[in-house]
Amino acid sequence: MKKSLVGVAVRQVLSAALIASYSLGVLADPVPREAKHIILLIGDGMNIEHEIAASRYLFGNDFDLSFHNLPYQGNQSTWDVSTYKYWSGGTYDPRAIAPTLGYDPAQGGKAPYPLRPERPGAEAYLKAKATDSASAATAWASGYKTDDGNLSWLPGDPDTGGNRTGDGSLKTIAEHLRERKDYAIGVVSTVPFTHATPAAFVSHNKSRNNYGAIGHEILTTVKPDVVIGGGHPGYDGSPTHNYIAAEDYDNLKNGVYADEYVFVERTAGVDGGLSLLTGAQQAVAEGKKLFGLFGKEGDGNFESLKPNDLPATPTVTQATRENPTYTEATLAALKVLSQDPDGFFLMAEQGDIDWANHANDFQRMVGTIKDLHDGVQAVIDFVNQPNDDIDWRNTLLIVTSDHSNNYMRNRTVLGAGDLPEQTPNCMGTPCYPGGEVTFGTTGHTNELTRIYAMGAGSRRFEWHELQWYPGTRILDNTQVFRVMMEAAGVPQVSPLRIRK
């Protein structure tokens, strides 16, 4: 085991050194280059305490995950219009925003715990009201704030306005970059592809729960070059989910879209990662798009990786090979998207982190973040591959989280391979009798989340600091949209104005 851990350490050192050499070259470049390739990787519902817990389990240190090596590291406010109205007494004017009504650093802190000490009263404040994934993803995708549950739609659910077709819908970064730069576009998720985070980038709806309509728009109107996610109707476990309309699934299955998409689905006894990567190879060879549909019974998600309680021997296993890993799904998407000489935009979400955190399930949370860690490292390795036209001078990588969840706190420093004692059920959630970890809620919280970035345009995050929250390094999530658009060479004037 010691030899194994040494090998891991050596690989991390080499990876960090390679990252440093690339990032120093980018930072030293006097002329910022445009990002032809924008890769946004999401750990849904992840806060810094979750990151630390997973890093300790895997490596015995607090900040050894793959994205902890990225040169830009900052903090992000995630509030939406519903949260703002909760604190403002019901008012929201996008032309006169007081950011501290959405997130107040004086109450929640200028940086997330444990980067700064916990402020008295912070827990009650941060748990009082928080964004959901739909409105948080809309902020990244469109640069607009909206209500809980809205997917790239104006707050208040109007039937007019917006900046897309005049019906209240909002043009997403995927649509902007395809129209303005002819980029290929793709979304990946370990949860159903019609769930909030992927859907906000490639669909528009007043309700995140309209799965059938969302899926139909994605498949027949927006038509991304890559769609990979859960929600397979044979594995979602309930006819009430309907993550994809029966007619749309039948059309995919029966080859109605065969001229446009290579369709790969979960199949009993078949290695899902291998079949998906083979499908990506076929899509490249035939000049087609890729649609991957997987999931498991019960919720339509991929199975989460499972860490085992083996002190000094961190070991993570996979429940089945019928679903791909996050890494395999992301690499399949990159294989297809990278064929476009004009560039590409990819959003890839590890969405099971959020489900683990809603359940206060520490073990599952560690496994899902391990999945994200592996995926981020695979993307870094993909960009570092020699002899192609993809490198850090024309590629922007961002790793972040849409919101925090469950107010988890590490109370004991656990070593590599060590998990806290976790009993199955205690008033609907697991219990931790040893006190190594505590949870404050099973819901989202308004805590700051982290942003990690590297590559072309990553220094723009520094330029946007202080604009919303003077005296801090806090960015607003709508500024992530602006950074990505600026990095691609098509800057957008923000529709939001800060009250002076």
Side-chain angles (χ1 to χ4, degrees), residues 177-477:
L177 295 181
R178 182 162 63 181
E179 291 175 10
R180 300 281 298 277
K181 306 285 286 190
D182 205 24
Y183 280 18
I185 60 174
V187 290
V188 169
S189 183
T190 62
V191 301
F193 76 99
T194 48
H195 261 204
T197 303
F201 288 87
V202 288
S203 73
H204 317 80
N205 207 284
K206 297 177 183 177
S207 173
R208 59 177 291 175
N209 297 321
N210 292 331
Y211 298 123
I214 292 164
H216 189 71
E217 182 187 6
I218 292 171
L219 183 60
T220 64
T221 303
V222 180
K223 299 181 178 180
D225 298 88
V226 173
V227 178
I228 300 171
H232 193 296
Y235 294 94
D236 70 10
S238 169
T240 61
H241 286 156
N242 296 321
Y243 293 123
I244 181 171
E247 182 180 0
D248 288 330
Y249 171 70
D250 290 342
N251 286 339
L252 280 167
K253 180 83 170 175
N254 297 328
V256 172
Y257 300 109
D259 290 340
E260 192 166 11
Y261 279 100
V262 171
F263 177 54
V264 183
E265 62 179 329
R266 179 173 181 174
T267 304
V270 175
D271 186 312
L274 181 60
S275 65
L276 183 61
L277 289 163
T278 301
Q281 187 168 310
Q282 178 186 346
V284 170
E286 298 177 3
K288 294 181 180 179
K289 301 177 180 181
L290 176 65
F291 202 112
L293 188 60
F294 297 87
K296 75 175 187 295
E297 189 171 344
D299 54 18
N301 302 344
F302 294 8
E303 282 93 353
S304 300
L305 300 184
K306 181 182 178 181
N308 299 283
D309 187 16
L310 298 168
T313 313
T315 306
V316 181
T317 56
Q318 191 174 2
T320 177
R321 284 299 300 157
E322 292 180 7
N323 279 320
T325 63
Y326 175 75
T327 294
E328 291 163 338
T330 302
L331 288 177
L334 288 172
K335 187 174 186 66
V336 175
L337 297 174
S338 62
Q339 302 304 307
D340 192 321
D342 297 306
F344 65 81
F345 170 81
L346 170 65
M347 189 293 300
E349 174 203 29
Q350 212 308 335
D352 297 290
I353 299 171
D354 195 42
W355 289 112
N357 284 330
H358 276 298
N360 291 173
D361 189 337
F362 186 96
Q363 182 182 36
R364 184 182 177 192
M365 177 273 294
V366 169
T368 55
I369 295 182
K370 166 65 160 64
D371 204 23
L372 176 66
H373 157 81
D374 290 343
V376 174
Q377 187 60 57
V379 170
I380 292 169
D381 294 342
F382 177 86
V383 177
N384 284 340
Q385 288 177 356
N387 304 320
D388 61 24
D389 64 351
I390 298 176
D391 60 34
W392 296 112
R393 294 185 183 276
N394 61 16
T395 302
L396 173 60
L397 170 63
I398 302 169
V399 183
T400 187
S401 173
D402 51 353
H403 53 74
S404 181
N405 193 343
N406 77 17
Y407 211 81
M408 192 197 87
R409 294 294 183 264
N410 295 295
R411 302 301 183 184
T412 301
V413 177
L414 299 173
D418 197 6
L419 293 172
E421 182 183 354
Q422 180 171 329
T423 60
N425 195 297
C426 180
M427 298 297 290
T429 62
C431 291
Y432 299 87
E436 301 95 338
V437 59
T438 60
F439 297 87
T441 178
T442 57
H444 296 176
T445 64
N446 200 26
E447 295 169 85
L448 298 172
T449 62
R450 297 286 282 162
I451 299 176
Y452 305 93
M454 180 168 73
S458 58
R459 293 205 69 177
R460 294 179 184 276
F461 282 115
E462 297 175 17
W463 303 344
H464 282 276
E465 292 175 358
L466 305 179
Q467 293 181 15
W468 281 56
Y469 294 95
T472 77
R473 292 192 59 214
I474 300 172
L475 290 159
D476 183 70
N477 56 5

